[in-house]
Amino acid sequence: LCAIIHYLVRGQLGWFGLTIACLVPGYAAQLLSILWFRADGHSPGCWLLALHLLQLGLWKRYWDVLRVETGSGAGEVLAQLGDVCVLRLLEALLQTLPHLLLQAYVVVAVDPAGFIPGVSAGLSLLSLAWALVSYSHFTCLLRPGHLSPPAAVILCLLLWRTGMLGTRVLALVLFARLYSFWVFAVAGVHWLLMSFWLVAQQTDIVAQPCRWRLFNCLLGAVYIFCYINVRPGPSKTRVTVFYAVSTWNILYCTWM
């Protein structure tokens, strides 16, 4: 909101429009949240619809998790927490990530002294990293016999995700500053490699063939920036392949 007002006051209508456009994909998470409320037997009233229209639906779910923690069993708490973590991750990837890329480009290539875009980019980076950490925390709780990791582990995960995302975003932004639209070619090659790699793994999280292909394509786009483990079992080999490709991409952007 501060970034939108900042561009509007300064008459930078192009960046103003692009910043507003970054908000639109976030409504996919809000729509999915409403559908999940309906699937759980809760008829969404006007107040709930208004919250989701203002993109506050996930805050409502966080509040529900806090209320469930005080009055119900662990199973219901885990189910509510799982819903909000998945929705928050989806919102972060669809809305926060494009906003981070846009504001980082403004800071690097357009207005290096811009305070508001810089703060907005920094907060977006932390928000995206925290969404990934929250999802990892939830998947850890799903495993039998696994307890909630201590605060030191959560902090290390947050630093790891922040550093990984920060270097990826910075490399792409610097490349875009020097070579303009050629950055889409580099990102496109990375996306194709990741998508074919996911297809080769035969990820069976989605059963229907069309949705399976779409899922692999979307996850391949996410893998341009960060790794998300969607398969059970040890992931050391998959993580090694991901970081090898990502490191090559970063070194290529830096060398160019």
Side-chain angles (χ1 to χ4, degrees):
L1 182 60
C2 290
I4 291 173
I5 296 174
H6 171 77
Y7 293 130
L8 181 62
V9 170
R10 299 186 61 177
Q12 297 175 322
L13 299 183
W15 301 117
F16 167 78
L18 289 174
T19 304
I20 290 181
C22 290
L23 297 175
V24 177
Y27 280 104
Q30 304 295 326
L31 177 60
L32 188 60
S33 176
I34 293 176
L35 294 177
W36 285 2
F37 269 121
R38 183 172 296 176
D40 292 338
H42 303 289
S43 179
C46 296
W47 174 245
L48 188 60
L49 292 176
L51 287 177
H52 284 81
L53 185 62
L54 295 173
Q55 296 203 358
L56 297 175
L58 301 190
W59 290 95
K60 169 67 168 58
R61 286 185 171 273
Y62 276 118
W63 175 251
D64 290 343
V65 170
L66 292 176
R67 291 197 305 170
V68 168
E69 285 183 349
T70 60
S72 300
E76 187 174 353
V77 173
L78 193 60
Q80 295 276 7
L81 183 62
D83 289 346
V84 73
C85 286
V86 171
L87 289 171
R88 180 67 191 93
L89 180 61
L90 179 63
E91 183 185 53
L93 294 173
L94 293 178
Q95 177 176 297
T96 309
L97 179 57
H99 182 81
L100 168 60
L101 291 170
L102 179 64
Q103 303 307 318
Y105 181 81
V106 170
V107 173
V108 171
V110 180
D111 186 14
F115 176 75
I116 297 298
V119 172
S120 182
L123 293 177
S124 297
L125 177 61
L126 289 176
S127 177
L128 181 57
W130 182 250
L132 291 166
V133 171
S134 297
Y135 176 78
S136 300
H137 179 225
F138 166 69
T139 56
C140 181
L141 293 177
L142 284 180
R143 299 171 186 171
H146 283 68
L147 300 177
S148 180
V153 175
I154 298 296
L155 179 60
C156 290
L157 286 174
L158 182 62
L159 293 175
W160 165 51
R161 289 295 192 179
T162 304
M164 180 62 192
L165 290 167
T167 53
R168 297 291 301 147
V169 170
L170 183 60
L172 290 173
V173 167
L174 290 174
F175 191 91
R177 181 188 179 188
L178 295 176
Y179 299 100
S180 187
F181 292 102
W182 281 104
V183 68
F184 294 107
V186 175
V189 170
H190 193 166
W191 168 64
L192 288 176
L193 288 174
M194 291 291 107
S195 298
F196 287 140
W197 178 51
L198 287 168
V199 171
Q201 294 182 62
Q202 297 294 321
T203 307
D204 57 355
I205 191 173
V206 181
Q208 299 181 2
C210 293
R211 295 182 179 180
W212 176 74
R213 296 189 186 95
L214 178 61
F215 174 79
N216 287 326
C217 289
L218 293 177
L219 192 59
V222 173
Y223 276 13
I224 297 175
F225 302 95
C226 58
Y227 178 80
I228 300 177
N229 187 27
V230 295
R231 294 184 61 191
S235 58
K236 293 181 180 179
T237 303
R238 297 192 296 271
V239 172
T240 302
V241 173
F242 169 79
Y243 275 106
V245 176
S246 297
T247 303
W248 168 83
N249 202 349
I250 291 175
L251 291 177
Y252 175 78
C253 291
T254 305
W255 177 77
M256 289 294 290

